[in-house]
């Protein structure tokens, strides 16, 4: 089993919009609850770096995620980088 870690930086003026679009994804996830999908997203202290951790399938089928992806190129300043990661453990 592996997870995918995606990291990128947005343009400063696009960071809040990026966060809003991610929040829309979480709202749709709460409503649809795809089985077997684990997803986390973080905005780092610099305010423009975002990290997403995805484990499982179903994220790309969400309408909100498709909207997030549709304009990601316009919001990016650096990245994205994508790495596979092997989970070691998780707590709460």
């Amino acid at each position: 089993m592996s997870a995918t870690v995606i990291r990128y930086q947005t343009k400063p003026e696009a960071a809040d919009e990026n966060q809003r679009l991610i929040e829309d994804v979480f709202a749709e996830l709460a409503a649809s609850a795809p089985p077997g999908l684990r997803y986390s997203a973080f905005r780092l202290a610099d305010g423009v770096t975002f990290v997403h951790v995805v484990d499982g399938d179903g994220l790309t089928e969400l309408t909100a995620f498709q909207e997030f992806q549709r304009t990601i190129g316009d919001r990016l300043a650096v990245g994205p980088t994508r790495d596979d990661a092997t989970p070691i453990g998780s707590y709460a």
Side-chain angles (χ1 to χ4, degrees):
M1 176 181 280
S2 69
T4 302
V5 179
I6 300 141
R7 181 184 177 111
Y8 59 90
Q9 290 182 348
T10 62
K11 299 170 187 169
E13 66 274 11
D16 288 341
E17 174 68 2
N18 196 69
Q19 180 173 329
R20 184 193 66 75
L21 289 164
I22 295 167
E23 290 167 348
D24 289 349
V25 171
F26 279 103
E28 188 172 345
L29 282 170
S32 64
L37 175 65
R38 295 190 317 181
Y39 174 62
S40 300
F42 304 90
R43 186 174 182 177
L44 302 189
D46 66 6
V48 296
T49 302
F50 291 82
V51 177
H52 301 249
V53 180
V54 183
D55 186 359
D57 297 320
L59 186 63
T60 58
E61 286 79 27
L62 299 175
T63 301
F65 184 77
Q66 292 168 6
E67 180 62 20
F68 169 81
Q69 288 286 82
R70 187 178 65 79
T71 57
I72 189 73
D74 297 335
R75 296 189 308 275
L76 287 180
V78 176
T81 61
R82 180 184 182 111
D83 293 300
D84 290 332
T86 302
I88 295 171
S90 176
Y91 178 77

